[in-house]
Amino acid sequence: MKRAIFALALIFIGQSLPAEEVKDFGRDRLNSSPRHADWVDIKSGDRTIKAFVVYPESKNKTPTVLVVSEIFGLTDWVRSLCDELAENGVIAIAPDLHSGQKLEDLDAARKATSALSKEQVQADLNATSDYALTKIPACNGTLAVCGFCWGGGWAFDYATMNPNLKAAYSFYGVAVDDPAKAAKIPCPVYGFYAENDARVDATIPKAEELMKAAGKKYEPVIYKGAGHGFMREGEMPGANEANKKARDDAWARWKTLLRQLP
């Protein structure tokens, strides 16, 4: 009887604890942006996925940056970042790799993302890349990739899979650890890392070694005092100063790199 009561108490406590949530934001920027944005359908094998595209205000054709989201899926924040990329002169296209799921519950986001197969994600990124290069007339033929957290790891990994990439921007994602993969990378890889992120930062030295041995360009920068996810966290209301500065400094660097795209 006591065990039953104890078990029921644990269930009650578990139900009463709030889920760890990550609040989304960015809708205000999207609603006030002067730039044109579209939702497009992209055929990926037997599936059709959605992607969000934002165009810069430009009279000329421009490069396109493929945006790989965090584990939370294609949130308003990711879409607002696409708008910020377009503000800086490139087309941004972000595929919905999570099939429309809105994942503000952190544990649910982890589960949903871990359920995505590598083969499916690669196929969806390939389909989006092909769409950008063949179905967007305003694209000048230059394609780059960026990603954040889980997507940052994918940005680095995808650079080993797509020979058409001209640059990869990996934000606090795990780095490549396979010499055969490093040898396949066709473009410079620029890393944006947080000082307080030992798990991810531990992958940097080996990647530096492998990329150097393969004759590839890899430029990691670690932002002092910042925590994992500083691009999002540094923009949130009440963000700490280290994350704010890291975000600002990372954007300053990224804008310079974007202007170097052919």
Side-chain angles (χ1 to χ4, degrees):
M1 183 68 175
K2 288 182 179 180
R3 288 183 179 178
I5 294 172
F6 180 68
L8 287 171
L10 287 178
I11 292 172
F12 175 77
I13 291 170
Q15 289 176 340
S16 64
L17 290 173
E20 186 176 2
E21 294 183 352
V22 176
K23 295 299 183 183
D24 197 12
F25 59 95
R27 186 67 64 89
D28 289 346
R29 180 184 180 94
L30 293 168
N31 284 335
S32 62
S33 173
R35 286 164 290 281
H36 181 78
D38 278 327
W39 284 99
V40 297
D41 292 329
I42 298 176
K43 190 71 173 175
S44 178
D46 295 331
R47 302 162 54 249
T48 297
I49 64 171
K50 292 283 188 182
F52 186 67
V53 187
V54 190
Y55 296 87
E57 295 180 304
S58 173
K59 65 179 181 180
N60 300 315
K61 294 184 177 184
T62 61
T64 297
V65 176
L66 173 62
V67 180
V68 189
S69 71
E70 311 159 297
I71 61 172
F72 309 110
L74 192 49
T75 59
D76 289 347
W77 176 75
V78 173
R79 295 193 301 123
S80 72
L81 185 134
C82 289
D83 182 75
E84 197 162 0
L85 279 169
E87 185 180 41
N88 285 282
V90 298
I91 300 165
I93 182 167
D96 183 2
L97 302 174
H98 290 76
S99 303
Q101 297 179 83
K102 189 172 180 64
L103 300 162
E104 294 180 0
D105 180 318
L106 186 54
D107 190 51
R110 292 189 183 109
K111 290 177 181 177
T113 301
S114 65
L116 297 175
S117 72
K118 183 172 184 177
E119 292 75 19
Q120 178 178 309
V121 174
Q122 182 179 352
D124 290 351
L125 293 178
N126 284 342
T128 306
S129 297
D130 291 343
Y131 183 95
L133 292 174
T134 64
K135 302 293 185 182
I136 299 181
C139 176
N140 69 358
T142 291
L143 180 70
V145 64
C146 72
F148 305 85
C149 185
W150 171 79
W154 257 105
F156 210 140
D157 204 26
Y158 192 57
T160 73
M161 304 172 183
N162 190 331
N164 296 316
L165 292 174
K166 303 302 182 186
Y169 313 103
S170 177
F171 289 81
Y172 33 86
V174 294
V176 69
D177 64 355
D178 183 337
K181 284 188 171 185
K184 293 179 181 179
I185 294 177
C187 63
V189 178
Y190 303 97
F192 300 75
Y193 302 101
E195 182 180 39
N196 300 329
D197 194 5
R199 178 188 68 89
V200 170
D201 294 352
T203 68
I204 297 173
K206 185 174 182 180
E208 288 182 303
E209 178 185 327
L210 294 179
M211 293 289 279
K212 183 177 180 180
K216 309 296 182 177
K217 185 176 184 179
Y218 174 45
E219 294 184 355
V221 172
I222 298 175
Y223 294 91
K224 186 174 178 60
H228 184 82
F230 62 80
M231 290 297 283
R232 169 197 274 271
E233 297 299 321
E235 192 176 341
M236 290 183 69
N240 68 49
E241 290 305 314
N243 283 337
K244 285 182 182 178
K245 186 177 189 309
R247 182 188 184 278
D248 291 345
D249 291 349
W251 258 116
R253 178 191 179 207
W254 199 10
K255 289 174 183 180
T256 298
L257 294 172
L258 289 170
R259 289 193 292 270
Q260 295 172 7
L261 287 173

